[in-house]
Amino acid sequence: KAGVTQTPRYLIKTRGQQVTLSCSPISGHRSVSWYQQTPGQGLQFLFEYFSETQRNKGNFPGRFSGRQFSNSRSEMNVSTLELGDSALYLCASSFSSGANVLTFGAGSRLTVL
Amino acid sequence: DAKTTQPPSMDCAEGRAANLPCNHSTISGNEYVYWYRQIHSQGPQYIIHGLKNNETNEMASLIITEDRKSSTLILPHATLRDTAVYYCIVRLLQGGSEKLVFGKGTKLTVNP
């Protein structure tokens, strides 16, 4: 079966712009979690969506937002980009909320210039 | 935050067993031990999990000490493709509102 698909894989933006990243979970999975990975901070949890509702949120500013659609696909948006937002953004899906066995996508690598 | 302690790095010869330790001295009775790995620039990959009995699957074996304060992930015949960062995570079976936290992990390098 198809895995978790993230688009785009790579993108370059400039400071002040905004970006939207997309994640299509495994068919039948209703939970989508987002993580940010940087060399300095490692993997940090952003938020989790289940059945179109945000179930959990990490310690990120309000510039980071997300949503989930009725087909479980999810998007995350970062507004007013800063240089420090350069990172690998990973999406993971699971059947239920709060699951421990997650299937991750390959990630979207964002570079902010 | 992470409840586990792992060595920052380890080396292993190709074809030999790789034994990756993890200390979780504050683990509670209903918390499980999960292992993930992350190959460079890819998303983490689930490997295995267990409560107290030793577990084995097609990827690895998980040995948990009787007091459950530590565990070892064993890759029986390491290959170059096993070079990755390995994360040990302790969590309730159903995390509920608790997020899955990845620590620093162990960087395993498999050498030819």
Side-chain angles (χ1 to χ4, degrees):
Chain A
K1 57 182 178 182
V4 177
T5 304
Q6 292 189 246
T7 57
R9 288 294 314 280
Y10 303 91
L11 66 166
I12 300 173
K13 294 284 187 179
T14 56
R15 279 180 297 174
Q17 288 187 310
Q18 73 164 17
V19 66
T20 298
L21 308 178
S22 178
C23 173
S24 294
I26 287 174
S27 178
H29 283 190
R30 297 166 60 194
S31 170
V32 172
S33 299
W34 289 90
Y35 286 80
Q36 180 198 64
Q37 186 170 33
T38 59
Q41 299 298 320
L43 272 160
Q44 293 188 287
F45 174 79
L46 280 157
F47 28 64
E48 180 199 6
Y49 286 87
F50 180 78
S51 293
E52 302 178 66
T53 302
Q54 188 179 86
R55 291 299 183 96
N56 204 351
K57 189 176 188 302
N59 297 320
F60 280 82
R63 300 185 297 108
F64 292 81
S65 63
R67 59 178 175 169
Q68 187 179 35
F69 302 96
S70 58
N71 62 357
S72 295
R73 189 178 69 87
S74 177
E75 289 181 347
M76 67 162 285
N77 183 276
V78 188
S79 62
T80 320
L81 284 166
E82 302 176 358
L83 295 179
D85 297 332
S86 294
L88 179 67
Y89 289 88
L90 290 158
C91 161
S93 77
S94 60
F95 180 75
S96 60
S97 177
N100 297 327
V101 179
L102 304 179
T103 302
F104 282 82
S108 293
R109 183 165 294 282
L110 170 65
T111 301
V112 181
L113 302 177
Chain B
D1 294 25
K3 308 174 187 178
T4 62
T5 304
Q6 299 178 254
S9 63
M10 291 183 64
D11 285 275
C12 176
E14 188 178 18
R16 304 296 294 268
N19 298 297
L20 294 101
C22 179
N23 286 323
H24 31 79
S25 58
T26 62
I27 192 170
S28 65
N30 54 356
E31 286 182 315
Y32 284 65
V33 180
Y34 289 79
W35 283 84
Y36 279 77
R37 74 178 181 183
Q38 186 175 22
I39 296 168
H40 183 62
S41 291
Q42 297 182 21
Q45 175 190 26
Y46 163 79
I47 301 173
I48 197 168
H49 73 277
L51 181 64
K52 55 183 178 181
N53 297 320
N54 298 337
E55 301 288 345
T56 296
N57 63 18
E58 65 278 3
M59 290 182 67
S61 294
L62 174 60
I63 308 297
I64 303 174
T65 58
E66 194 166 340
D67 63 7
R68 303 212 320 120
K69 294 185 177 182
S70 65
S71 60
T72 301
L73 179 75
I74 300 173
L75 309 178
H77 306 287
T79 70
L80 299 179
R81 288 181 295 181
D82 291 322
T83 292
V85 177
Y86 287 78
Y87 299 97
C88 170
I89 302 166
V90 165
R91 202 163 184 235
L92 296 172
L93 182 60
Q94 283 300 319
S97 61
E98 199 180 312
K99 57 187 182 292
L100 194 64
V101 176
F102 292 81
K104 300 286 187 189
T106 296
K107 173 79 167 79
L108 173 70
T109 301
V110 180
N111 299 305

